Amino acid sequence: QLYQLSDAHVTEIVELWAERFRTLAKDERIKYIFEFENRGEEVGVTIHHSHGQLYAYSFVPQKITTELDNCKKYFRSTGKNLFAELNRTEKKYKKRVLVETHGFIAYIPYFTDYPFGVFIVSKKLKPNIASLSKSEKSELAMMLKQITAAFDKIYDRPFPYIMSLHQCPVNEKKYTDSADYYSF
C-alpha cells in the first residue's frame, strides 16, 4: 500500500509524476495530463497489485472543462480564485479539514461527489504537479500516505478509492489563463 512505502519512495513517485507531466507537456498535441490511481474491485480495479496510471489526452476531459469553466465564471464575477475561497472557508469552518501542512490543506468539501471525497489543495494555488517545489512534493507525499492509511482504518480493510490529480491543462488556447482561476 502507498502508506507502507518509505517517505523517500512516495516522494520519488510524486517526483516521477511531475517529471512525466513536464515531458508530456512539451508535446503540443497533448492538452491534458491525468495521473490517477484506482484501488479495489468496488471501483473497477482488475489488477490487484499497487499501480498508478497516466493518460495524456489530446483534449480536455468534460469533467475538467466543467470545473475550469465554472471556476473561470466565478473568477470573472468575483475576482477571486474559487480554490482560494474554498481553502479559506474550510480552514475557518475546521470540521471538514483532515490535514494541513505549510503548502497544502486536505478537506472534504460540503459538495463532494463521494462520501469520502477528499480534496488536497495547494495553498499557493499552483497550477500543476510540475510547479510544486521539492518541499511541496514531499509534503504531498506525506499527506497521501497519511490519508490512504486513514482510509484503511475506517473499515479495517483496504479501502477502495480513486485518487485523481486535477490540474491546469497544457497547450490548450482556451485555458491559457487557467492558473488565474484553477489550482492543483
Side-chain angles (χ1 to χ4, degrees):
Q1 305 307 331
L2 188 66
Y3 60 85
Q4 294 170 321
L5 301 174
S6 72
D7 293 354
H9 191 150
V10 179
T11 300
E12 284 180 27
I13 292 169
V14 173
E15 291 279 1
L16 177 62
W17 292 340
E19 183 276 324
R20 295 305 306 144
F21 185 99
R22 280 189 297 276
T23 299
L24 290 165
K26 292 175 185 175
D27 185 337
E28 291 294 321
R29 297 172 299 169
I30 304 301
K31 306 300 181 203
Y32 193 75
I33 301 163
F34 184 59
E35 295 110 334
F36 66 98
E37 177 188 355
N38 297 339
R39 183 176 85 167
E41 290 181 20
E42 297 88 345
V43 297
V45 171
T46 57
I47 300 171
H48 299 288
H49 64 274
S50 296
H51 68 286
Q53 298 177 60
L54 183 149
Y55 291 170
Y57 292 109
S58 61
F59 60 92
V60 180
Q62 183 178 3
K63 180 166 179 64
I64 303 301
T65 61
T66 300
E67 290 177 8
L68 286 159
D69 293 345
N70 283 299
C71 286
K72 187 172 195 169
K73 184 178 176 181
Y74 182 84
F75 182 74
R76 285 183 173 164
S77 68
T78 67
K80 298 177 182 178
N81 181 298
L82 182 58
F83 286 96
E85 292 297 290
L86 286 170
N87 288 354
R88 184 185 58 74
T89 301
E90 294 298 342
K91 190 171 179 172
K92 182 178 178 182
Y93 184 67
K94 297 179 185 175
K95 294 179 182 177
R96 292 184 292 262
V97 174
L98 305 176
V99 183
E100 184 174 3
T101 66
H102 177 72
F104 295 92
I105 184 168
Y107 47 84
I108 301 177
Y110 68 91
F111 60 82
T112 186
D113 297 346
Y114 308 98
F116 297 96
V118 177
F119 278 41
I120 301 174
V121 184
S122 164
K123 288 182 174 180
K124 294 181 181 176
L125 307 176
K126 300 285 181 97
N128 57 57
I129 195 159
S131 65
L132 301 178
S133 70
K134 187 174 177 107
S135 65
E136 287 169 327
K137 289 175 194 161
S138 293
E139 284 181 43
L140 177 60
M142 297 313 99
M143 212 175 234
L144 293 174
K145 284 183 65 168
Q146 190 173 4
I147 291 170
T148 57
F151 277 162
D152 282 5
K153 291 184 188 297
I154 292 172
Y155 297 114
D156 195 29
R157 67 179 284 269
F159 190 91
Y161 64 81
I162 300 170
M163 174 181 61
S164 57
L165 281 60
H166 291 209
Q167 44 203 336
C168 290
V170 297
N171 310 314
E172 178 56 68
K173 290 177 186 171
K174 180 179 178 183
Y175 298 114
T176 56
D177 61 346
S178 60
D180 294 339
Y181 54 83
Y182 198 71
S183 177
F184 172 82

